Amino acid sequence: MGKYVVSPTTHPTGCGRFSAAFAIRRADGNGTYCRVFRFDRTFASRHAAHLFAVTQGWVESTGVGLGAF
């Protein structure tokens, strides 16, 4: 399919909110590269955190973001 695999995830915080993170993996004939992004921002719902992680993963994998690899 694509060049990258993006795996979004959410985690409950101690104060009842949710944090967002994603891992992005690229594999080619020479090996595999993986980066994990965690965010300080918290969200009121798991759905909102998941949507943020998916969106940030898409931005990173398409090269739209400044940190694209």
Side-chain angles (χ1 to χ4, degrees):
M1 284 226 231
K3 191 171 165 181
Y4 302 100
V5 175
V6 177
S7 302
T9 186
T10 62
H11 301 281
T13 64
C15 64
R17 293 178 62 86
F18 296 89
S19 63
F22 72 89
I24 186 167
R25 185 170 54 95
R26 177 182 65 191
D28 58 23
N30 297 326
T32 302
Y33 183 78
C34 184
R35 288 175 88 178
V36 176
F37 295 81
R38 294 181 182 94
F39 303 97
D40 292 333
R41 182 176 177 184
T42 60
F43 300 87
S45 70
R46 185 178 298 272
H47 178 73
H50 182 73
L51 185 60
F52 182 81
V54 168
T55 303
Q56 293 302 310
W58 176 81
V59 167
E60 190 67 29
S61 68
T62 59
V64 174
L66 296 175
F69 56 115

